[in-house]
Amino acid sequence: MRRAIFPGSFDPPTNGHLDIIKRSLPLFDEIIIAVLNNPEKNPMFTVEERCEMIQKILPEVENGKCCLTVDSFSGLTADFARRKQATAIVRGIRAISDYEYELRMALMNRRLEPTIETVFLMAAEEYAYVSSNLMKQVFTLGGRVEGLVPELVENRMREKLG
Ligand code: ADP
């Protein structure tokens, strides 16, 4: 049983996240999308709202034989992965700027939990500049994010901003 977690803030989920999920499907039997509960980061969406959005947009993904589930967690990613008996942590890399941070996290997680491997997948070119933060900034200033986040997410951002 090859089980992986895909941890992140997903505040909000973007088409870049969905792309990484799609790329990881053939590699695992089960992928748990693990939403980090991080109230100190002042998220736009609560962890429940983020989980619910992901649940609703997952049917857009042709998951074949891979089982996709959504969960939330607090604390260490390595602890959550161990509790779930996952053997891999999936992360996406968009640019060199992601690499430095991701390398540090992967090495720390390996030290904390040597049996769990971090697997990096390269972003799709068309989403390589897409981040949750950029989507929030642009949307808040009235810019269009159509095609970069799922339609449901765009609607939820609109509702949030009143
Ligand atoms: P975190 O706060 O843990 O970085 P994010 O939700 O921002 O959480 O990102 C979760 C993971 O998804 C990270 O590995 C990040 O690099 C990856 N990711 C985010 N946006 C994209 C994208 N557009 N393309 C590929 N990977 C992405």
Side-chain angles (χ1 to χ4, degrees), residues 108-128:
M108 192 65 216
N109 284 332
R110 184 187 280 166
R111 187 189 168 95
L112 293 168
E113 194 48 68
T115 60
I116 300 172
E117 209 57 62
T118 302
V119 175
F120 293 111
L121 298 174
M122 300 305 144
E125 282 157 52
E126 66 263 45
Y127 302 130

Side-chain angles (χ1 to χ4, degrees), residues 8-62:
S9 307
F10 302 100
D11 184 45
T14 69
N15 286 349
H17 291 126
L18 277 183
D19 176 69
I20 292 296
I21 293 169
K22 283 178 195 160
R23 287 174 197 283
S24 52
L25 288 172
L27 305 177
F28 301 102
D29 301 307
E30 181 179 351
I31 301 165
I32 303 168
I33 299 150
V35 181
L36 178 65
N37 191 1
N38 51 352
E40 72 288 346
K41 264 199 186 172
N42 253 328
M44 178 183 250
F45 294 97
T46 66
V47 71
E48 292 79 16
E49 288 170 330
R50 286 177 265 157
C51 287
E52 192 244 349
M53 281 190 279
I54 298 170
Q55 292 280 13
K56 292 225 162 103
I57 60 183
L58 275 188
E60 287 179 25
V61 174
E62 280 283 346

Side-chain angles (χ1 to χ4, degrees), residues 5-10 32-36 73 77 80 88-91:
I5 66 163
F6 178 35
S9 307
F10 302 100
I32 303 168
I33 299 150
V35 181
L36 178 65
F73 73 105
T77 303
F80 179 76
I89 296 173
V90 172
R91 296 285 290 177

